[in-house]
Amino acid sequence: MEKNNKLDFGGQHIYVGMDVHKKSWSVSIHTEQFEHKTFTQPPEVEKLTYYLERTFPGATYHTVYEAGFSGFWLHDKLRAKGIDCMVVNPADVPTKDKERAGKRDRVDCRKLARGLRNGEINGIYVPPVKVERSHLGAHPSEHGEKTNTV
């Protein structure tokens, strides 16, 4: 009889709330039943996806972050890696009174992950890359893209 110790989260959903900043991300990961972990990491998609794939192999990943300074590049990168990503209006995220008093990154990412898991938040429209970059004020130079200056 062969023993199989390989983890398989096939059919399970993992919910990831992110509070995104230029120098770091606060990340909260929830399973369907509980909060797994909340941590801070460098602002690198590869590090996040590596952690998810190593810790929850075979799962379906759902991520969410608040619209803000960073535009939609993170959404685009996660989607390119096959990870579902929602961008939300910060004002539309359900918040408890206790959470209002202590606005911190760890609280925000937990709130986002919980809201995503419970189906309490809706995403905003994310325009296609070509439209977004030219009209909505995304700053290509922040993401290593060349800009033309006159």
Side-chain angles (χ1 to χ4, degrees), residues 20-26 40-44 69:
V20 178
H21 296 281
K22 190 173 184 175
K23 294 186 178 187
S24 67
W25 296 344
S26 292
T40 300
Q41 72 157 60
E44 299 172 29
F69 81 96

Side-chain angles (χ1 to χ4, degrees), residues 1-88:
M1 183 174 201
E2 201 173 303
K3 196 172 183 181
N4 186 1
N5 288 334
K6 189 171 179 156
L7 286 175
D8 182 15
F9 285 82
Q12 295 185 47
H13 297 270
I14 303 299
Y15 304 93
V16 181
M18 299 178 290
D19 195 28
V20 178
H21 296 281
K22 190 173 184 175
K23 294 186 178 187
S24 67
W25 296 344
S26 292
V27 177
S28 185
I29 301 174
H30 292 220
T31 67
E32 294 169 347
Q33 293 83 26
F34 59 89
E35 179 180 336
H36 165 70
K37 185 175 185 179
T38 299
F39 58 94
T40 300
Q41 72 157 60
E44 299 172 29
V45 172
E46 292 73 23
K47 285 191 189 273
L48 178 62
T49 55
Y50 176 77
Y51 181 83
L52 292 173
E53 290 166 355
R54 183 175 47 91
T55 309
F56 303 102
T60 302
Y61 312 114
H62 306 278
T63 60
V64 62
Y65 69 96
E66 294 178 342
F69 81 96
S70 63
F72 302 112
W73 72 271
L74 178 55
H75 171 272
D76 298 340
K77 280 201 158 199
L78 289 167
R79 296 295 296 261
K81 290 190 169 283
I83 296 175
D84 179 47
C85 185
M86 181 187 295
V87 181
V88 297

Side-chain angles (χ1 to χ4, degrees), residues 88-103:
V88 297
N89 177 351
D92 293 341
V93 179
T95 304
K96 298 175 183 174
D97 288 338
K98 201 177 203 181
E99 292 169 334
R100 281 188 228 290
K103 175 136 176 47

